[in-house]
Amino acid sequence: MSSIQTNGKTAATATKPSKAGAAATWVDDRVGIAGAAKKNIRKVFPDHWSFMLGEIALWSFVILLLSGVFLTLWFKPSMAEVIYDGSYEQYRGLHMSEAYASTLEISFDVRGGLLMRQIHHWAAQLFIAAMFVHLLRVFFTGAFRKPRELNWVIGSLLLLLGILEGFTGYSLPDDLLSGTGLRIADGIMKSSPVIGTYLSFFLFGGEFPGDVIIPRLYAIHILLLPGLLLALIGAHMMLLVYHKHTQWPGPGRTEQNVVGYPMMPVYAAKAGGFFFIVFGVTALMGALLSINPVWKYGPYNPAEVTAGSQPDWYMGFNEGLMRIMPAWEYEIGGFTLPLSVFLPAALLPVVLLSVVMFYPFIEQWITGDKREHHLLQRPREAPNRTAFMVALMTFYGLLWAAGGNDILAVVFRLDLNQITYFMRVAVVVGPVLAFIIARRWAISLQRHDQEKLLHGYETGVIMRSPDGEYTERHLPISEAEAFTITARDREEVPALTSGEDVNGVPAPTARKDRLRARLQHFWYADNVQKPTRAELEAARHHAQHELEVHAGEEHAADGHQFDGRHDIHGEELRKH
Amino acid sequence: MTHNPDQPALPGNEDAVNDPHAPVPAEPIDNPGLPAHHWRPTDVDPAAEKRAERQVATLFGIASLMSILFVVAYFAFEVGEDPDTFLGLGASTLFLGLTLGTALLLIGIGAIQWARKLMSDVEMVEHRHPAASSDEDRASAVAALRQGADDSGIARRPLIRNSLLGALALLGLPAIVGLRDLGPAPGNALAHTVWRKGMRIVNDVSGTPIRPEEVEIGQLVNAEPSVFFDADENGEPIMDGHEVLVEKTKAAVILVRMQPRDITPLEERANWGVDGILCYSKICTHVGCPISLWEQQSHHLLCPCHQSTFDLADNGKVIFGPAGHALPQLPMGVDDEGYLIALSDFEEPVGPSYWERGE
Ligand code: HEM
Ligand code: FES
């Protein structure tokens, strides 16, 4: 063994082996773990609040595993009919499925059962919400760029699986709401061309609702999907460790390093502590906030529905588009194509997910940027990317609102039909407007940064020159801030090519090249590029000069200096 | 990335470098290097350090107390009969949750406080490496792979290779065919319901048959086929609970009574109603929610799921919303005892559309 260098006070050789040391030796003798451990125990993790979002998703998944296992001890995934005789008096003697009866049992006859059900459901909502917000963070900061594209794809799959897991869980208690949700899912399946009825009959083991769907969903919910989620989360984390976390640019931070705290002890204590905080918060929510009170809905009855029934929020966008679709249903060659169901409910989610999943490759194709990136970007530094996601969010948000159109109609006393017609236009126009606004906004923020860099920041102090001119005083920003603003790539705007070679012969890929050049031009042309060293120095020199020339001539013009009662001594900004 | 020999590795992390302040040239402004470390009060003031230590230990101490209180609450409060005792929540659920949640929360806050106040807050710097393996590693991996492939002779023995590929491909068949028994083929099951000529239309809750005079103008009655309630000679129901559930999914109907002069039936449906009473499927033709909201003034029936609206005075036509076709109507008459009966099954499939619907 080579000698170990230390800068600490104690030598690395253990004097007297402790119990823990002996145990570690026992393990290492058998599995040789020290090789992997030495690399990771002191691994550096950068710190930023937005890096916690993924952690929330991770920890809520762990909470789902724990609370879910608790629920499996009592839940009976069976559609066999039983006569209820548990503690909930109103339903005694009522016929219901075993699944529903056991959910009532968990809620009313198992101590801590209702708490666990509510923790489980809240954690499910938190899990999916955290994944969404985490995805936005990664997107807006460009953290999906090379070499992290695969981890982005894994992340999108996790979102899909999480939503499916949520839907299957929501369906398990076999209450009126969940049954209605399943029935809608059945209708959606049936809308698929050619194979629709087969899908439905195979999933439900015959005609809806059949008597096998709950056990089948149960196997999917507690075995298949959690297994896949676990495997993908494992891969997600391993890639994270391999790539090392991205970091924000700043003094001392570069593309070649990562600055932060060591895994052991700081990060372990913070992240581990954070697990307990997330768990604690969901436990308090489970204690204080009722969620999915299935005893209020009653057992599933295919001839009943509750007005204002809503799916869990993450299905809302789908619901919205289903509501505002025009009634397109066509006959072709004797076959029926229910497009008003198939398009919004089956095709749209697939398209949306694909767009999100493949976005890194699309952007890479446009920009042609094949370098590795480890420093994060602010949203303003990639205006088109930012605007694209803002447009998607607008689309999603509008559909979500459309999914509650009946509630909107009641709350705002509007006509349901009017809302629907408005939404049909809004989901097309809204995202386009959002794209344009977000793009311009990002670019104007770039200008603002440039201003700050070249002319200093606005102090808010208005100066009055001897000849009565008012100006706002600017002071230079700190070197650290200036560096941080400039720690980004200088982008090259490509010339628009004709796609022809020197002899005027179109290249075989001419059309593609032209399209790409045009996109690239759109991508970069309006961006503000950071100044060169010479430009920056010239601007600074000029600003310094301005300050000196006008020193003593001007007064801060807030009026108070004229009243004679205010001492302006010590107010640095006004001294000049 | 190779290591800078001037920057020896820190113990425990080969990638870490010792001198975080080394400035790196950058454009247009040089990287100023990491800002100097600031000592926290707990680093320099032993009293502050002791205070923080006590604070963290107190948090952990209260957390232990909460776990004990959890056990007390578990045995002290009943679940069951009276789930609404505190703030609309069960006392048991509430106190179990509060104690468990607080215990967890305090452990978390304590650990983070420990990290922030008492663990070293000196930032470390670690080199990154490109994600790709080195060229030598790649070359060796490719060589090893090639060696392995050569040893197997897979390239030299196409007969073995192709027959193996064929065998593996055909394994797909058992995998797919094995799932065949997931469910029966749809056949024309969706095209029919249990309604038959002469079957009485009965109240959906009590199962009692309905006379036309019992239905008032403007009223909506939820109804079902009598077979769901009929018993055989031993008093056993003809259909078991489960069959009823499946059949109800298609056979549930509604009766509405309107002014006969308001109704504009299609020619062939002229005799499908009785004194302004019409019978429609209750199952929305969009994706199958049971429809329930009846506006008697306008004769509109509104689905609560996605607001498809059907005009029952006009043959169940869709007048708003995403449903693709009209609500099916059940031909209805009166039997010799004066009760409402079906004249036949529905003439088209009820519920959501599907590919073979038109067949
Ligand atoms: C990503 C993971 C998961 C999500 C999003 C999720 C979501 C859900 C949801 C929304 C419910 C309905 C709860 C209700 O209101 O009653 C549910 C029920 C259930 N979940 Fe999960 N779950 C997840 C993981 C798990 C795991 C890992 C297990 C077990 C190993 C599990 C076991 C159960 C059981 C037994 C029920 C039915 C109990 C009941 O409804 O009372 N879940 N799940
Ligand atoms: S199910 Fe009736 S409108 Fe969608």
Side-chain angles (χ1 to χ4, degrees):
Chain A
M1 269 203 59
S2 61
S3 69
I4 298 165
Q5 240 184 327
T6 68
N7 61 351
K9 283 173 275 190
T10 48
T13 43
T15 39
K16 193 169 153 224
S18 62
K19 280 228 176 77
T25 308
W26 191 92
V27 173
D28 191 60
D29 283 348
R30 281 146 190 90
V31 298
I33 193 104
K38 73 169 185 210
K39 282 203 190 125
N40 291 312
I41 287 179
R42 294 283 278 176
K43 196 170 180 66
V44 169
F45 282 88
D47 218 4
H48 188 262
W49 65 264
S50 68
F51 303 164
M52 283 192 330
L53 297 167
E55 244 180 89
I56 299 183
L58 176 65
W59 295 143
S60 31
F61 179 68
V62 176
I63 297 165
L64 284 165
L65 289 177
L66 295 174
S67 56
V69 169
F70 183 91
L71 294 176
T72 59
L73 303 178
W74 290 275
F75 182 70
K76 298 196 188 76
S78 152
M79 296 174 85
E81 211 180 50
V82 294
I83 296 172
Y84 182 70
D85 66 346
S87 287
Y88 194 62
E89 242 162 282
Q90 272 157 279
Y91 288 166
R92 283 208 195 127
L94 205 64
H95 291 252
M96 56 179 66
S97 68
E98 268 196 292
Y100 186 66
S102 66
T103 306
L104 292 180
E105 187 200 347
I106 294 175
S107 306
F108 296 121
D109 298 287
V110 175
R111 281 174 280 191
L114 180 57
L115 176 66
M116 278 299 168
R117 268 196 61 228
Q118 298 192 144
I119 289 178
H120 193 69
H121 207 133
W122 277 122
Q125 308 251 351
L126 191 64
F127 178 55
I128 294 165
M131 277 198 286
F132 266 107
V133 185
H134 172 59
L135 179 147
L136 292 180
R137 193 288 283 174
V138 171
F139 188 91
F140 281 129
T141 59
F144 57 79
R145 290 172 298 166
K146 191 179 169 190
R148 297 183 177 75
E149 306 97 320
L150 282 181
N151 231 8
W152 170 267
V153 171
I154 293 179
S156 339
L157 287 176
L158 282 170
L159 183 64
L160 170 72
L161 293 177
I163 290 175
L164 290 176
E165 179 73 346
F167 183 77
T168 52
Y170 186 81
S171 305
L172 289 180
D174 202 21
D175 59 289
L176 190 53
L177 269 191
S178 74
T180 306
L182 270 180
R183 183 170 206 170
I184 293 177
D186 174 59
I188 293 168
M189 266 183 276
K190 283 182 178 148
S191 76
S192 321
V194 188
I195 56 166
T197 48
Y198 286 86
L199 279 182
S200 161
F201 273 61
F202 284 4
L203 181 65
F204 289 93
E207 278 189 76
F208 175 89
D211 56 3
V212 295
I213 186 66
I214 299 281
R216 284 184 183 172
L217 289 178
Y218 187 65
I220 295 174
H221 183 76
I222 73 159
L223 181 71
L224 186 61
L225 289 176
L228 288 174
L229 279 165
L230 211 54
L232 285 179
I233 289 175
H236 201 66
M237 298 286 95
M238 272 159 56
L239 277 177
L240 168 77
V241 167
Y242 181 62
H243 292 140
K244 300 179 176 161
H245 206 289
T246 50
Q247 62 188 348
W248 288 101
R253 284 141 218 263
T254 69
E255 287 282 8
Q256 284 79 35
N257 73 10
V258 47
V259 180
Y261 298 112
M263 155 89 181
M264 179 84 186
V266 180
Y267 195 73
K270 282 190 177 173
F274 193 56
F275 164 68
F276 285 95
I277 289 187
V278 175
F279 202 169
V281 169
T282 36
L284 291 180
M285 286 170 85
L288 295 168
L289 305 170
S290 167
I291 185 165
N292 204 16
V294 290
W295 58 92
K296 291 189 179 153
Y297 312 140
Y300 182 56
N301 174 348
E304 271 176 30
V305 68
T306 48
S309 66
Q310 289 280 332
D312 262 357
W313 64 268
Y314 42 84
M315 308 293 275
F317 75 104
N318 213 3
E319 173 89 2
L321 196 55
M322 280 181 82
R323 287 182 182 204
I324 62 172
M325 272 309 275
W328 292 337
E329 181 168 313
Y330 301 104
E331 298 272 327
I332 1 171
F335 292 109
T336 310
L337 198 56
L339 285 185
S340 71
V341 180
F342 184 71
L343 288 185
L347 207 58
L348 169 85
V350 176
V351 170
L352 266 187
L353 185 80
S354 311
V355 168
V356 168
M357 196 144 97
F358 294 116
Y359 180 84
F361 306 102
I362 302 172
E363 183 180 308
Q364 214 171 67
W365 184 77
I366 297 175
T367 60
D369 182 351
K370 299 274 191 294
R371 295 165 301 165
E372 286 198 2
H373 293 278
H374 304 288
L375 287 179
L376 294 173
Q377 291 178 304
R378 286 179 301 167
R380 72 187 63 170
E381 282 157 25
N384 296 289
R385 176 202 298 154
T386 301
F388 175 75
M389 185 49 86
V390 170
L392 263 192
M393 287 167 73
T394 309
F395 182 62
Y396 192 93
L398 283 168
L399 286 183
W400 208 57
N405 60 358
D406 47 344
I407 298 172
L408 291 181
V410 172
V411 173
F412 297 106
R413 296 164 181 271
L414 291 168
D415 180 36
L416 197 69
N417 304 16
Q418 247 58 101
I419 296 182
T420 302
Y421 295 130
F422 171 79
M423 283 296 181
R424 282 182 189 166
V425 179
V427 294
V428 179
V429 178
V432 176
L433 278 181
F435 183 91
I436 296 170
I437 294 172
R439 186 172 185 274
R440 294 316 311 181
W441 195 337
I443 291 170
S444 71
L445 284 173
Q446 289 189 349
R447 294 219 177 91
H448 181 72
D449 276 354
Q450 192 81 342
E451 277 291 297
K452 253 188 2 192
L453 199 58
L454 294 178
H455 309 299
Y457 70 99
E458 296 163 0
T459 56
V461 178
I462 307 295
M463 304 300 290
R464 187 171 182 274
S465 71
D467 34 338
E469 200 187 338
Y470 289 91
T471 49
E472 183 172 358
R473 180 176 290 285
H474 286 70
L475 286 181
I477 57 178
S478 75
E479 194 68 1
E481 194 184 352
F483 169 74
T484 308
I485 291 179
T486 59
R488 50 182 285 224
D489 291 334
R490 193 185 300 286
E491 300 148 346
E492 273 160 37
V493 187
L496 288 176
T497 72
S498 62
E500 290 170 353
D501 64 15
V502 276
N503 303 321
V505 181
T509 53
R511 285 189 53 184
K512 214 169 99 188
D513 292 346
R514 260 203 309 272
L515 170 69
R516 186 162 156 179
R518 221 174 279 140
L519 281 170
Q520 239 173 48
H521 199 80
F522 179 72
W523 202 260
Y524 289 133
D526 295 333
N527 288 1
V528 181
Q529 297 308 327
K530 64 183 178 184
T532 61
R533 191 174 282 253
E535 283 166 351
L536 183 64
E537 266 156 26
R540 284 184 172 173
H541 192 75
H542 178 76
Q544 185 59 26
H545 182 71
E546 283 282 294
L547 282 179
E548 277 162 16
V549 166
H550 297 298
E553 284 177 15
E554 296 178 326
H555 295 285
D558 59 5
H560 288 305
Q561 64 271 51
F562 303 119
D563 65 12
R565 276 182 283 156
H566 281 81
D567 185 12
I568 57 169
H569 177 75
E571 295 182 26
E572 296 302 328
L573 293 183
R574 295 178 182 177
K575 260 200 203 144
H576 295 294
Chain B
M1 269 260 100
T2 50
H3 283 212
N4 183 340
D6 302 336
Q7 300 179 352
L10 287 183
N13 185 337
E14 296 174 337
D15 289 343
V17 282
N18 239 344
D19 180 11
H21 299 280
V24 187
E27 213 274 325
I29 301 175
D30 279 338
N31 192 331
L34 280 188
H37 176 248
H38 293 288
W39 296 105
R40 298 161 299 185
T42 43
D43 291 325
V44 289
D45 177 3
E49 188 186 346
K50 266 265 152 301
R51 233 179 357 259
E53 194 179 333
R54 274 197 302 273
Q55 188 194 28
V56 172
T58 310
L59 289 169
F60 290 156
I62 304 177
S64 310
L65 184 68
M66 283 298 157
S67 290
I68 294 168
L69 285 181
F70 177 94
V71 178
V72 174
Y74 192 92
F75 293 106
F77 297 108
E78 297 274 321
V79 279
E81 312 90 51
D82 198 5
D84 297 332
T85 30
F86 276 89
L87 305 168
L89 301 147
S92 169
T93 302
L94 182 67
F95 284 105
L96 291 180
L98 286 181
T99 48
L100 177 66
T102 318
L104 292 164
L105 211 55
L106 292 179
I107 293 177
I109 296 173
I112 288 178
Q113 196 65 350
W114 180 11
R116 289 168 50 127
K117 293 237 164 127
L118 295 169
M119 291 178 188
S120 160
D121 74 336
V122 181
E123 283 189 312
M124 289 170 62
V125 180
E126 190 177 299
H127 279 307
R128 287 183 190 278
H129 311 277
S133 350
S134 67
D135 288 346
E136 304 91 81
D137 281 357
R138 273 191 197 183
S140 326
V142 170
L145 200 64
R146 195 160 288 148
Q147 182 73 51
D150 284 351
D151 284 358
S152 75
I154 195 160
R156 276 178 292 123
R157 299 188 209 284
L159 186 63
I160 291 192
R161 186 190 57 208
N162 294 345
S163 54
L164 173 63
L165 287 180
L168 289 177
L170 283 182
L171 264 187
L173 281 180
I176 294 168
V177 173
L179 292 176
R180 168 62 191 84
D181 279 347
L182 273 175
N188 63 354
L190 292 176
H192 303 291
T193 73
V194 291
W195 286 107
R196 292 288 171 274
K197 182 173 166 62
M199 189 179 288
R200 280 182 178 163
I201 300 170
V202 301
N203 183 290
D204 74 327
V205 180
S206 58
T208 48
I210 301 166
R211 290 176 189 281
E213 353 17 310
E214 293 163 13
V215 185
E216 283 161 32
I217 290 197
Q219 196 186 354
L220 175 143
V221 178
N222 291 307
E224 278 168 12
S226 57
V227 63
F228 292 171
F229 298 89
D230 289 344
D232 60 17
E233 54 273 23
N234 303 326
E236 293 289 317
I238 304 184
M239 295 175 74
D240 74 37
H242 211 269
E243 260 177 289
V244 171
L245 205 65
V246 172
E247 289 304 333
K248 207 195 260 186
T249 307
K250 292 181 298 184
V253 291
I254 47 164
L255 294 173
V256 285
R257 184 164 195 169
M258 294 166 279
Q259 292 287 359
R261 61 169 186 278
D262 292 343
I263 304 176
T264 52
L266 293 170
E267 216 170 300
E268 67 272 20
R269 296 189 179 185
N271 297 321
W272 283 15
V274 176
D275 306 334
I277 305 177
L278 300 182
C279 184
Y280 284 97
S281 164
K282 190 178 169 146
I283 310 305
C284 184
T285 60
H286 180 221
V287 285
C289 281
I291 313 184
S292 54
L293 306 175
W294 171 234
E295 290 172 21
Q296 46 165 300
Q297 301 303 326
S298 56
H299 313 136
H300 289 171
L301 189 67
L302 179 92
C303 177
C305 284
H306 315 97
Q307 288 92 38
S308 289
T309 309
F310 303 88
D311 187 347
L312 299 196
D314 185 9
N315 305 286
K317 222 173 71 187
V318 185
I319 53 163
F320 180 75
H325 59 266
L327 208 54
Q329 189 181 350
L330 186 73
M332 186 178 63
V334 192
D335 64 11
D336 26 3
E337 289 175 53
Y339 292 112
L340 293 174
I341 52 163
L343 295 181
S344 73
D345 192 359
F346 285 99
E347 295 198 337
E348 57 182 319
V350 300
S353 280
Y354 53 94
W355 183 247
E356 310 90 331
R357 182 174 190 276
E359 287 201 320

